[in-house]
Amino acid sequence: MARPKPAACPTHRRIAMRPLLVADPPVPFRPAPREEFAFGPLFAALDLWEHSGWSLERIREELRGTRGAFRGWGAPVHPALLAWTADALERYAAARGREQGAARAAGLPPTAPVRQQWTVRTSRQDVPDTRGVRQYEQTVWGRAYASADGSVRDLWIPSLGRARQSRPAAELATVARVAAYGAPTPRRKARSEPPPTATDGTALPGLVRVFDFGCADGLFERLLAEGPAEVRKRYETDGVPAFRAVVEGTGTRPGEDCVDCKALAGCTDLKRAPHLWGGRPPAVPRRRRSVSAWDLRLQGECPAQYHLVRQLHLDDLSAEGAGARRGRVVDGLLNERHGEQPVRGCRERRSPDAAGIRAATGLDGASAREAAGMLTEHRLLCPLDGLGPDEQVLVQHPVTAYVPELDVVVLAVPDLVYTHRGRWIWRETKTASRPLWEGRSLLRSFPQLALGVLLFHAGALGSDPRRSWVELEYLREGHGDSRLERVDPGSADIVDEARAVVADLAQPLLDDTTYEPRTGRHCHGCQARTWCRPGTAYATDHPRPDPPVTGTGTSTTEQEDSRV
């Protein structure tokens, strides 16, 4: 909670800081069909190694033999997550060994695993303070270690991808404070009250160290090594303001936080969109979920890819295709230009230079030339040229709606939303090397357009769909090869087609409980393929002869449009 989140909802975070508050009406517990916390099996494996004395080989055998929940409790674990866990466990054990060897060489005592998490807790007061609070408690997440004499405490925080070289100042200050001043405390059941007494913070270590570990690259970074006095000063400077901002936050900002928010039932700022696409609730009730166009496309390609990449965020650090890198550069430059104040159209700007793009972004020569050509093409299609000073321009603006009968939060982030003479216009920009395929409808080729039509139709932007447009700007390098296509969200036929498109993609996602792999060309660009046996076998048996031709993010044949 100390980590800054610019897009977070202040009300959600303030309420989430109060674990004893429950939703009204209460939300029943609904177990997930698959483990949805990537670190869960890894921490269970590390507990066996660090606290139960199991060898790494024994744990690997247990992981290989698991056909459901790891160690017999929790939700069943996807086979690819078990494979990822085995890899991450090996890397973690090796990294800990390397660090402890370096610590001994530096004259530091060895540190051993701490079974109970560190907690800083105040005593419970009879009279609430100005926030209505009688007791405060801070905990820290990660792997805790301490030397036998208590002089050194280490905290290891795992990251799913690479080891982070830094963390936000408020987050680092807060975790260091808990590591320095916290006391080991037993785990409590959810929503159970803490003891009324304060934790004992008298036996302080002489040195606190915080490490970040990369589960994918196996490296570690030391982020902090300070004594309690320095940690306290750091917390007062960086941590306290962040804590106050969260615990006293007001206002709402619909978005990803709506999925886990305890105040959703009473939130008037979240747009309700019943029967948005006419979906039916899944046969097995599930906890509230989010759905985006990217979710729908990944699920349509491969349910395992959706689960592993979108839900678990696994990343094998495989190199991104040249086309995807080019697309991200074009997207970033357009967002930067369109977000400037006062608003300026791109036609009045100087034509982009390939050499300058290459120097600023690191693209190869061919990709830089393609990006320059696409940006030149955009100058002819830029919607901001001639836009009046009173018009609104929103870049990467989150659009959120709630489908109550499905208990689903719909998330969309259009590249650009702007007004023109009372009309709201939603624009998606795509970069590509190939012409637009004429044999398939726009809504089926680009589901984010279908989602935009439905959100407009439901009034998620507060505008009349009869006075709105959804646009696709399809950028190619060649002069005159780009296209601008418009879709009318006020047309009944268009709305019906959009509902059919989204329903065909969304219903399998809502019903799926196993996330079985579905192999195909998308396996070549899957970030979780390393741990997926069918995907690895497909990529081996069907080598890709040419580099991928990609757009701005991930597609059925490419990695296109990771932004929606």
Side-chain angles (χ1 to χ4, degrees):
M1 298 301 292
R3 184 184 307 160
K5 288 181 62 179
C9 174
T11 293
H12 163 74
R13 284 167 69 83
R14 185 184 75 249
I15 294 174
M17 287 277 278
R18 294 159 167 82
L20 299 185
L21 289 180
V22 296
D24 185 17
V27 177
F29 172 74
R30 292 167 177 166
R34 287 284 194 186
E35 174 61 66
E36 294 182 350
F37 182 48
F39 291 117
L42 175 61
F43 272 44
L46 287 172
D47 285 344
L48 293 174
W49 180 53
E50 295 181 335
H51 303 307
S52 299
W54 283 37
S55 67
L56 294 179
E57 180 56 36
R58 183 182 176 188
I59 298 172
R60 284 195 299 269
E61 288 295 328
E62 184 81 6
L63 288 167
R64 280 194 288 267
T66 294
R67 293 294 180 268
F70 181 54
R71 297 297 298 146
W73 59 79
V77 183
H78 196 280
L81 178 57
L82 291 171
W84 177 90
T85 300
D87 283 355
L89 175 66
E90 292 279 357
R91 294 188 179 108
Y92 188 89
R96 270 285 294 167
R98 294 196 306 272
E99 191 285 318
Q100 286 290 276
R104 285 193 298 272
L108 294 175
T111 56
V114 176
R115 185 180 293 270
Q116 297 178 336
Q117 71 173 6
W118 291 315
T119 303
V120 175
R121 184 177 60 242
T122 65
S123 60
R124 191 179 304 163
Q125 303 299 306
D126 294 331
V127 180
D129 62 13
T130 56
R131 301 187 184 109
V133 177
R134 294 193 297 145
Q135 189 175 30
Y136 293 91
E137 183 179 65
Q138 288 183 343
T139 60
V140 66
W141 179 82
R143 306 300 300 184
Y145 305 89
S147 60
D149 60 2
S151 63
V152 178
R153 285 186 178 182
D154 292 342
L155 178 70
W156 282 58
I157 306 175
S159 295
L160 285 166
R162 301 183 190 277
R164 299 188 192 182
Q165 296 181 346
S166 64
R167 283 183 177 259
E171 178 186 4
L172 189 58
T174 305
V175 299
R177 187 245 183 164
V178 177
Y181 291 89
T185 55
R187 183 176 298 175
R188 300 194 306 270
K189 292 183 178 180
R191 291 201 290 273
S192 62
E193 289 193 6
T197 55
T199 52
D200 182 7
T202 57
L204 301 180
L207 177 66
V208 170
R209 302 188 304 167
V210 178
F211 296 87
D212 195 285
F213 168 73
C215 291
D217 65 8
L219 303 179
F220 65 89
E221 295 282 348
R222 193 183 71 184
L223 306 182
L224 178 144
E226 294 178 350
E230 293 84 359
V231 167
R232 179 185 289 275
K233 185 176 180 179
R234 180 189 288 267
Y235 177 70
E236 291 172 350
T237 302
D238 298 323
V240 170
F243 171 77
R244 286 177 176 162
V246 174
V247 80
E248 297 172 358
T250 58
T252 58
R253 188 175 293 120
E256 291 185 13
D257 285 342
C258 298
V259 177
D260 299 314
C261 187
K262 294 182 282 188
L264 181 141
C267 181
T268 57
D269 289 334
L270 175 61
K271 174 65 181 178
R272 268 62 175 177
H275 311 293
L276 186 65
W277 61 80
R280 66 178 185 275
V284 178
R286 301 275 295 277
R287 72 179 187 90
R288 188 182 306 143
R289 285 181 284 174
S290 65
V291 166
S292 71
W294 191 22
D295 294 329
L296 297 178
R297 194 186 58 245
L298 287 188
Q299 168 74 22
E301 289 178 350
C302 171
Q305 182 180 213
Y306 161 73
H307 175 62
L308 300 171
V309 175
R310 283 295 284 154
Q311 290 188 310
L312 299 178
H313 309 290
L314 303 190
D315 183 0
D316 63 6
L317 306 181
S318 55
E320 190 176 38
R325 290 194 297 271
R326 176 208 62 208
R328 292 185 192 281
V329 166
V330 172
D331 182 59
L333 290 172
L334 291 180
N335 289 340
E336 182 181 332
R337 290 181 173 187
H338 294 161
E340 289 181 359
Q341 294 293 330
V343 173
R344 293 174 57 199
C346 294
R347 236 173 251 176
E348 61 187 80
R349 301 175 187 270
R350 190 174 60 184
S351 183
D353 174 71
I357 292 175
R358 183 176 185 181
T361 63
L363 289 179
D364 60 70
S367 296
R369 287 191 298 273
E370 291 171 356
M374 291 172 179
L375 291 168
T376 299
E377 284 285 282
H378 169 77
R379 294 175 71 216
L380 303 175
L381 302 174
C382 181
L384 306 188
D385 286 301
L387 210 61
D390 296 331
E391 304 288 4
Q392 297 185 58
V393 176
L394 306 175
V395 179
Q396 295 281 295
H397 175 69
V399 180
T400 308
Y402 178 60
V403 185
E405 73 276 9
L406 303 178
D407 200 17
V408 164
V409 177
V410 178
L411 304 172
V413 185
D415 292 314
L416 193 64
V417 179
Y418 63 99
T419 59
H420 180 61
R421 297 178 181 177
R423 181 194 301 273
W424 274 99
I425 301 173
W426 173 313
R427 178 172 289 203
E428 296 286 353
T429 301
K430 301 289 295 176
T431 64
S433 299
R434 297 172 181 171
L436 196 60
W437 185 21
E438 303 288 355
R440 195 181 192 195
S441 76
L442 280 177
L443 300 187
R444 289 209 174 268
S445 296
F446 304 99
Q448 62 267 41
L449 301 180
L451 207 54
V453 166
L454 296 185
L455 290 170
F456 257 140
H457 186 73
L461 278 83
S463 58
D464 185 348
R466 294 170 298 180
R467 292 182 52 79
S468 305
W469 285 110
V470 175
E471 297 181 331
L472 172 68
E473 181 179 347
Y474 194 78
L475 291 178
R476 297 183 63 212
E477 175 190 4
H479 178 64
D481 288 342
S482 299
R483 297 268 296 273
L484 180 62
E485 301 286 345
R486 285 178 172 170
V487 179
D488 181 6
S491 165
D493 290 342
I494 292 294
V495 172
D496 288 345
E497 182 185 359
R499 282 185 176 140
V501 168
V502 174
D504 288 347
L505 294 170
Q507 200 61 52
L509 182 150
L510 296 179
D511 291 338
D512 199 353
T513 58
T514 59
Y515 307 115
E516 294 296 327
R518 183 186 301 129
T519 59
R521 289 180 293 177
H522 51 268
C523 292
H524 289 286
C526 179
Q527 293 171 286
R529 192 189 73 207
T530 297
W531 305 286
C532 176
R533 287 185 179 179
T536 299
Y538 178 91
T540 301
D541 295 339
H542 302 81
R544 185 164 48 191
D546 299 312
V549 180
T550 63
T552 45
T554 53
S555 84
T556 52
T557 59
E558 309 155 3
Q559 286 208 352
E560 241 180 309
D561 190 32
S562 61
R563 306 178 313 282
V564 294

